[in-house]
Amino acid sequence: MELVRTINHLRAEVARWRTDGQRIALVPTMGALHAGHIALVGAALSAADKTVVSIFVNPTQFAPHEDLARYPRDEGGDLAKLAGAGAHLVWAPAVTEMYPEGFATRIAVEGAALPLEGTFRPHHFGGVATVVCKLILAAMPDVALFGEKDFQQLAVIRQMARDLALPVLIQGVPTVREEDGLALSSRNAYLSEDERYVAPMLFKAISEVARGRDPREAAAALLTVGFGKVDYLEARDAETLAPYVPGSGRPGRVLAAAWLGKTRLIDNVGF
Ligand code: PAF
């Protein structure tokens, strides 16, 4: 497995594979890899001949008061996991490679980016869309894979790829969960022992709403088991993320974000 840092080096490697007629997959990550990321790599290996994994903690998707500085980083550990998983190339650019001096472009997605996370983290999807567009334009993969754990992010990236006619297939990969239902996330590392015990209640709450429970009741129940604040817990249309219309027969998704101590957990489930 090769490690490259620059866009030029990445492009040279990808060009070599392209000359050989090989199909290329990109798995964008922010590192601190867990089994959910490894599932993305597994899906990428099935979808293409060569798998590129990017590791880049993207500063533009964090607001100044968010957890950029304490975001977990472990490049050595990540490289070992990716080699074990069978990735072909890791691209780990420096911040200055992605955002050189004078960088002044930002992609603003509306539609699916506006509700839910868009209300609570208004800066977030602009940063995600900008970096993902740049990652895709640098690697020019046939397919780029993203976890359904960040379901709204996946919808925003699909919207951007469609609107900008990016020549790439955006593929979602199902969420990987612990045995007790907690969705794998790099941020789970922040949870204390007591918080970790309570955390699976978020999945339980959204699963109950997917089966018909009133979302307000489910949100109130989370507060009684130790969650500090529920930013949102709502049933939405799975494609547009507009409020779900009961009886519409359309695919739905229950999405939630809630705080356990200083950690904000998000999760979602289909119905
Ligand atoms: O989901 C993530 O890890 C990040 O938001 C992504 C897609 C790699 C962009 O920085």
Side-chain angles (χ1 to χ4, degrees):
M1 185 183 75
E2 206 179 340
L3 169 65
V4 303
R5 303 272 178 201
T6 65
I7 293 174
N8 282 345
H9 198 167
L10 169 72
R11 285 196 171 135
E13 290 306 302
V14 170
R16 208 162 43 79
W17 292 335
R18 284 248 173 261
T19 312
D20 293 344
Q22 292 184 308
R23 211 177 130 76
I24 290 138
L26 172 68
V27 178
T29 81
M30 297 206 299
L33 303 180
H34 50 64
H37 297 108
I38 301 308
L40 290 175
V41 174
L45 292 168
S46 307
D49 304 303
K50 297 287 183 190
T51 293
V52 175
V53 179
S54 62
I55 298 178
F56 180 64
V57 183
N58 173 36
T60 67
Q61 66 191 73
F62 293 78
H65 64 278
E66 290 182 346
D67 56 352
L68 173 63
R70 70 169 188 148
Y71 196 84
R73 287 166 170 85
D74 175 19
E75 191 180 272
D78 289 344
L79 293 176
K81 287 177 194 160
L82 291 173
H88 298 95
L89 185 146
V90 175
W91 174 36
V95 173
T96 47
E97 179 73 4
M98 295 301 281
Y99 300 112
E101 211 179 316
F103 188 94
T105 297
R106 191 165 170 96
I107 295 177
V109 182
E110 299 193 348
L114 296 180
L116 307 172
E117 289 297 295
T119 307
F120 288 89
R121 305 180 69 196
H123 58 280
H124 177 64
F125 286 129
V128 169
T130 304
V131 81
V132 168
C133 187
K134 187 153 181 170
L135 293 169
I136 288 174
L137 290 176
M140 287 306 276
D142 299 279
V143 54
L145 298 96
F146 299 87
E148 287 183 353
K149 157 78 172 37
D150 295 292
F151 193 79
Q152 189 175 7
Q153 167 174 281
L154 177 60
V156 169
I157 291 167
R158 285 194 205 283
Q159 172 96 48
M160 175 198 60
R162 196 166 52 238
D163 292 350
L164 300 182
L166 295 181
V168 62
L169 176 74
I170 304 297
Q171 185 176 325
V173 176
T175 303
V176 179
R177 298 184 180 280
E178 303 279 9
E179 266 182 29
D180 58 11
L182 178 65
L184 296 196
S185 163
S186 307
R187 289 189 168 98
N188 293 351
Y190 302 151
L191 297 172
S192 69
E193 208 176 308
D194 288 351
E195 290 165 350
R196 173 64 191 82
Y197 181 74
V198 171
M201 298 303 285
L202 183 62
F203 177 54
K204 186 165 178 278
I206 58 175
S207 302
E208 287 170 356
V209 173
R211 290 193 294 269
R213 189 178 190 190
D214 183 302
R216 280 160 306 187
E217 256 181 54
L222 282 178
L223 299 181
T224 67
V225 297
F227 279 82
K229 181 170 180 280
V230 179
D231 282 351
Y232 58 83
L233 194 167
E234 293 181 29
R236 294 269 167 164
D237 185 292
E239 274 158 34
T240 63
L241 294 189
Y244 191 73
V245 181
S248 63
R250 288 184 52 81
R253 203 91 191 174
V254 182
L255 301 100
W259 290 86
L260 252 186
K262 290 195 165 82
T263 306
R264 187 171 184 270
L265 298 179
I266 64 169
D267 202 354
N268 67 86
V269 69
F271 66 96

